[in-house]
Amino acid sequence: MDGMGYLPDETLSEDLTNEIMLIQLNSRDCFDFDYQPQEDDNLNVYTPENGNRKHLSFIFKNGEWTADWHLPFKYEMKKINYGKVSFEDKTEKE
Protein backbone atom coordinates (compact mmCIF):
# COMPACT_ATOMS: atom_id res chain seq x y z
CA MET A 1 0.00 0.00 0.00
CA ASP A 2 1.40 3.41 -0.90
CA GLY A 3 1.87 5.84 1.95
CA MET A 4 3.07 3.29 4.47
CA GLY A 5 6.61 3.01 5.74
CA TYR A 6 8.17 -0.38 6.38
CA LEU A 7 11.31 -0.79 8.45
CA PRO A 8 14.04 -2.78 6.72
CA ASP A 9 15.07 -6.28 7.75
CA GLU A 10 18.63 -7.55 8.29
CA THR A 11 18.05 -10.86 6.51
CA LEU A 12 15.80 -11.88 3.61
CA SER A 13 17.22 -15.39 3.20
CA GLU A 14 20.34 -17.34 4.12
CA ASP A 15 22.10 -15.93 1.06
CA LEU A 16 20.64 -12.43 1.13
CA THR A 17 21.67 -10.53 4.25
CA ASN A 18 22.94 -7.05 5.06
CA GLU A 19 26.41 -8.49 5.69
CA ILE A 20 26.62 -10.27 2.32
CA MET A 21 25.19 -7.30 0.42
CA LEU A 22 27.60 -4.83 2.06
CA ILE A 23 30.61 -6.98 1.16
CA GLN A 24 29.46 -7.05 -2.46
CA LEU A 25 28.42 -3.40 -2.70
CA ASN A 26 31.63 -2.08 -1.17
CA SER A 27 34.07 -4.36 -3.00
CA ARG A 28 33.02 -3.99 -6.65
CA ASP A 29 30.59 -2.46 -9.14
CA CYS A 30 27.44 -4.52 -8.56
CA PHE A 31 25.12 -2.66 -10.90
CA ASP A 32 24.24 -3.83 -14.39
CA PHE A 33 23.58 -0.25 -15.57
CA ASP A 34 25.64 2.94 -15.58
CA TYR A 35 25.40 4.21 -12.01
CA GLN A 36 27.72 6.11 -9.70
CA PRO A 37 26.34 6.28 -6.13
CA GLN A 38 25.90 9.75 -4.71
CA GLU A 39 25.92 10.78 -1.05
CA ASP A 40 22.67 9.71 0.68
CA ASP A 41 21.49 7.46 -2.18
CA ASN A 42 19.19 4.75 -0.83
CA LEU A 43 19.25 1.23 -2.28
CA ASN A 44 16.32 -1.01 -1.36
CA VAL A 45 16.34 -4.77 -2.03
CA TYR A 46 12.89 -6.39 -1.81
CA THR A 47 11.77 -10.00 -1.66
CA PRO A 48 10.40 -11.25 -4.98
CA GLU A 49 6.96 -11.91 -3.50
CA ASN A 50 4.52 -9.17 -4.46
CA GLY A 51 2.76 -7.70 -1.45
CA ASN A 52 5.45 -8.87 0.98
CA ARG A 53 7.28 -5.69 1.95
CA LYS A 54 10.33 -7.37 3.53
CA HIS A 55 13.43 -5.58 2.32
CA LEU A 56 17.03 -4.61 2.98
CA SER A 57 18.02 -0.96 2.87
CA PHE A 58 21.41 0.65 2.26
CA ILE A 59 22.51 4.30 2.27
CA PHE A 60 25.64 5.56 0.50
CA LYS A 61 27.59 7.65 3.05
CA ASN A 62 31.17 8.91 2.99
CA GLY A 63 32.05 6.87 -0.09
CA GLU A 64 30.64 3.52 1.02
CA TRP A 65 27.36 1.66 1.46
CA THR A 66 26.02 1.17 4.99
CA ALA A 67 22.99 -0.75 6.26
CA ASP A 68 20.65 2.13 7.01
CA TRP A 69 17.38 3.71 5.89
CA HIS A 70 15.78 7.10 5.43
CA LEU A 71 12.80 8.05 7.54
CA PRO A 72 9.61 7.61 5.52
CA PHE A 73 8.01 10.86 4.33
CA LYS A 74 11.08 12.94 5.26
CA TYR A 75 12.96 12.51 1.98
CA GLU A 76 11.81 12.75 -1.60
CA MET A 77 12.52 9.42 -3.27
CA LYS A 78 12.97 8.80 -6.98
CA LYS A 79 13.35 5.34 -8.51
CA ILE A 80 16.19 5.39 -11.03
CA ASN A 81 16.30 1.71 -11.95
CA TYR A 82 15.41 -1.77 -10.82
CA GLY A 83 16.70 -5.28 -11.38
CA LYS A 84 17.53 -8.61 -9.79
CA VAL A 85 20.21 -9.30 -7.20
CA SER A 86 22.85 -11.80 -8.26
CA PHE A 87 26.30 -12.50 -6.93
CA GLU A 88 28.00 -13.77 -10.07
CA ASP A 89 31.54 -12.59 -10.67
CA LYS A 90 31.49 -10.32 -13.73
CA THR A 91 35.18 -10.99 -14.39
CA GLU A 92 34.46 -14.69 -15.05
CA LYS A 93 32.43 -13.78 -18.15
CA GLU A 94 35.29 -11.88 -19.81
Side-chain angles (χ1 to χ4, degrees), residues 41-60:
D41 277 1
N42 188 186
L43 171 66
N44 290 312
V45 178
Y46 289 89
T47 57
E49 294 85 22
N50 239 358
N52 184 351
R53 302 306 293 174
K54 289 186 66 150
H55 71 286
L56 305 178
S57 181
F58 306 95
I59 304 291
F60 194 73

Side-chain angles (χ1 to χ4, degrees), residues 40-92:
D40 288 325
D41 277 1
N42 188 186
L43 171 66
N44 290 312
V45 178
Y46 289 89
T47 57
E49 294 85 22
N50 239 358
N52 184 351
R53 302 306 293 174
K54 289 186 66 150
H55 71 286
L56 305 178
S57 181
F58 306 95
I59 304 291
F60 194 73
K61 294 181 186 177
N62 300 318
E64 69 178 8
W65 291 99
T66 60
D68 202 353
W69 50 280
H70 288 304
L71 293 171
F73 311 115
K74 184 174 180 178
Y75 295 90
E76 182 178 341
M77 303 291 185
K78 177 177 86 171
K79 184 185 289 188
I80 60 168
N81 213 328
Y82 62 94
K84 293 185 177 183
V85 174
S86 65
F87 297 113
E88 65 188 53
D89 185 356
K90 291 181 182 180
T91 59
E92 289 180 6

Side-chain angles (χ1 to χ4, degrees), residues 1-7 46 53 55 72-73:
M1 172 190 297
D2 288 340
M4 292 185 67
Y6 296 89
L7 294 178
Y46 289 89
R53 302 306 293 174
H55 71 286
F73 311 115

Side-chain angles (χ1 to χ4, degrees), residues 12-62:
L12 296 183
S13 71
E14 183 178 315
D15 298 323
L16 193 54
T17 68
N18 280 348
E19 182 179 359
I20 290 170
M21 285 292 297
L22 286 171
I23 290 168
Q24 296 295 318
L25 288 168
N26 288 317
S27 65
R28 63 186 182 93
D29 177 11
C30 295
F31 299 93
D32 61 357
F33 59 96
D34 186 29
Y35 170 66
Q36 291 297 316
Q38 304 296 311
E39 190 73 10
D40 288 325
D41 277 1
N42 188 186
L43 171 66
N44 290 312
V45 178
Y46 289 89
T47 57
E49 294 85 22
N50 239 358
N52 184 351
R53 302 306 293 174
K54 289 186 66 150
H55 71 286
L56 305 178
S57 181
F58 306 95
I59 304 291
F60 194 73
K61 294 181 186 177
N62 300 318

